[in-house]
Each structure stands twice: as C-alpha cells, then as structure tokens.
Amino acid sequence: MANDHIDNTPGNRAAAREILTFYMEAGVDALVGEEPVDRFAPEAAAPALQPQAVATTPAEQAERPVSTIRTTLPPKNVPKAAPAVNAPPAPDVAVMAAREAAKSAGSLEELKAILGTFDGCGLKKSAKQLVFSDGNPQARVMFVGEAPGSDEDRAGVPFIGRSGKLLDLMMKAIGLDRTGAYIANIIPWRPPGNRTPTPQESQICLPFISRQIELADPDILVCLGGPSSQTLLGFTDGIRKTRGRFLAYNTGKREIRAIATFHPAYLLRSPLEKRLAWRDFLSIKQELAKPVSA
Ligand code: URA
C-alpha cells in the first residue's frame, strides 16, 4: 500500500489538521504535486543536470537562444547543499520565446498545443492546467478577461465561476450565449491565490493572446476590466475612464472594433456600476448589428 508508512495515530492526525489549517490561513489553497518536495534536502534529491547547457547570469540568459527556453535548470556553481530550485528564464528571453512560439501557430488548436508545452511563464507550474478558451471561435465577438480563478483552473474553462455566471447573464441580455461568443484571458494559467498577474507575466502571455485574437478573427473585441484593456489596447488610464468607447484594434490581419468594459468580478463587488456596463453591452449589440467590415 502506498500509505503504509503513514503514522495514522490520533496525535499525528491532529498535527496534520493543524498544519493544514496553518497553510490555509497563509493562503495556500491548491496542491501543485502529489508528493511533498524537500527543498532543503541534500544534493542527492536534486535532478540530474547538464550545467554546460545552461546560461546563468542575466547577461548569459539574454544571449541564450530562445529555442532553449524550456531548459530551466538551476544556476551552475551552486553550493552542494543548495535547494534544487529551477531558475526561470529572464523575462525578456521569455517574451522573445513567446513571440516566436505564438507566431509559429497556424491555428487555434496549434496555439493551444504550443501553450501547453511553453515553459516561459512561471504561473504554469502552480496552475492545475491551461485555461485556453471557451465558446465559439467562429463567433463575431470575443471577450478577453484577465486570468482564470480557482473554478476555471479546476475545469480548464474560462469564466465558469461567479463572474462567469454574471458574464453569461450580461451576454444573454444582448442575445448572446457561448455559441455566439468566444472567450479567453490575457493569462491562461491561474495565478496562485488569485493574485494579480505581474506586468512581466502579462507581457510574456501577450503574444499568445494577440495571436489567439488574430486566429479567431472576431469583428468585435471586448476587453473585460482594466488589466485586459491596458494590456491589449494600451490604455494607461483606469477602466472608469476608458470603458464604453469603440476604437480600432489591429489584429495583424485586419482592423477590428474593440471596446473596454467593467470586469464582471468588479460588477459583483460594485453592483451600481452595472448601469454603465449595460450601456456598454448595448453598444456592443448595436455594433454587432452593423454590416461586417471587410
Ligand atoms: N476572471 C477572469 O478574468 N477570467 C476568468 O476566466 C475567470 C475570472
């Protein structure tokens, strides 16, 4: 039996409960592996390395060919008893690798497969799985949020938690459902504890969501919330200033119409703002009623 070695005495069970409570209070709400990792274990526990293949200093990393981005090995010259921590690639190297990888995708399926093997964004390690998209990639309207939460992380589907349910209601109010809309996020992996993604994480993921928009080729892009509209539309002001105005967005293939509106999670916290969100959704409905641009 796999758990023969577990001491299942009442004292130990109480201690296990205590440590779990401690972890939960500290914000740990997800497991990232089946087995615990002893980061202080001596060298024997470290994976076999080929240090000659690794760039270590930031300068070396910057010069490292982007094709080696998946080789995330620890720095050389580590003291013998150092924890076996894998060094993430430098952010600029990861952004370049992301650009190359995203460009090479010829279809949404290929893009999803490439993202599944891309190791340049540290969030992949703590997330349960990739959350790529939902809805209809042929739809005329595409919604882009910020990053998946815990429900989405569990299911691998964007916007299925509380804010997703509100998004469904908002879409329904203008005659849309997920068969008539395509849905994705700037970041396709859940940030641990739902923390805000760092600017580097957003920049690393930007080439992928940009390519996803290009490949899906919607007529209308709807950015949900400040981070999505700042990352995709280049706004520097907050969402209260930038929402509700259509502007041109160049997908790389053609110019489409884009609009920013409140994120449904914000509307759950600030229901009075639903009035303004309703106006934005009516503008989206009107835009959809216009003839398709070439
Ligand atoms: N919030 C987001 O931005 N995206 C999701 O998929 C869920 C919640």
Side-chain angles (χ1 to χ4, degrees):
M1 290 277 289
N3 57 2
D4 275 352
H5 61 285
I6 294 174
D7 177 354
N8 204 9
T9 55
N12 254 22
R13 283 204 301 274
R17 259 195 305 275
E18 258 175 50
I19 190 81
L20 279 177
T21 307
F22 168 78
Y23 283 143
M24 280 162 61
E25 281 168 3
V28 178
D29 62 357
L31 290 176
V32 294
E34 295 298 324
E35 297 293 331
V37 178
D38 183 355
R39 306 263 175 218
F40 296 97
E43 202 192 36
L49 309 176
Q50 299 103 36
Q52 69 283 4
V54 188
T56 53
T57 65
E60 280 174 312
Q61 286 203 355
E63 281 171 17
R64 189 168 131 206
V66 287
S67 56
T68 66
I69 197 88
R70 293 191 62 209
T71 317
T72 50
L73 300 174
K76 56 187 169 192
N77 304 329
V78 279
K80 279 205 164 193
V85 178
N86 286 346
D92 50 344
V93 177
V95 171
M96 277 162 56
R99 282 193 196 135
E100 271 188 28
K103 213 165 42 182
S104 72
S107 65
L108 288 168
E109 292 72 29
E110 266 177 48
L111 186 68
K112 184 177 179 183
I114 288 169
L115 262 169
T117 62
F118 180 75
D119 287 337
C121 179
L123 293 175
K124 182 182 177 183
K125 278 200 189 139
S126 52
K128 281 198 170 62
Q129 58 185 316
L130 176 72
V131 179
F132 185 69
S133 69
D134 195 26
N136 180 356
Q138 258 93 53
R140 292 188 57 213
V141 56
M142 175 168 179
F143 292 88
V144 179
E146 182 180 6
S150 56
D151 293 321
E152 290 79 15
D153 186 45
R154 255 191 303 277
V157 180
F159 282 103
I160 53 150
R162 280 185 71 220
S163 51
K165 303 242 172 343
L166 179 56
L167 177 63
D168 284 339
L169 287 175
M170 291 159 78
M171 289 197 301
K172 193 169 170 202
I174 56 166
L176 288 176
D177 62 18
R178 293 190 186 214
T179 63
Y182 185 53
I183 302 174
N185 281 304
I186 299 282
I187 309 262
W189 295 284
R190 180 200 181 201
N194 292 347
R195 68 158 169 77
T196 303
T198 65
Q200 282 100 330
E201 286 160 354
S202 297
Q203 286 310 305
I204 292 167
C205 294
L206 177 58
F208 292 109
I209 184 64
S210 302
R211 183 76 177 137
Q212 196 170 352
I213 296 167
E214 183 179 1
L215 289 167
D217 195 26
D219 293 327
I220 295 171
L221 173 67
V222 183
C223 294
L224 297 170
S228 169
S229 40
Q230 286 167 354
T231 309
L232 284 174
L233 308 180
F235 289 140
T236 48
D237 285 328
I239 189 69
R240 302 196 93 258
K241 270 203 175 155
T242 56
R243 53 148 285 277
R245 275 184 284 123
F246 270 102
L247 57 137
Y249 174 88
N250 195 328
T251 65
K253 226 186 233 170
R254 67 184 178 115
E255 218 167 68
I256 62 169
R257 310 281 291 148
I259 188 169
T261 188
F262 293 120
H263 192 289
Y266 172 74
L267 295 174
L268 287 171
R269 293 192 303 273
S270 313
L272 278 182
E273 304 286 30
K274 284 183 187 168
R275 287 170 307 140
L276 295 175
W278 172 234
R279 275 197 215 159
D280 300 343
F281 271 65
L282 283 180
S283 313
I284 295 166
K285 187 178 182 188
Q286 277 162 14
E287 198 67 28
L288 277 168
K290 289 183 186 167
V292 186
S293 62

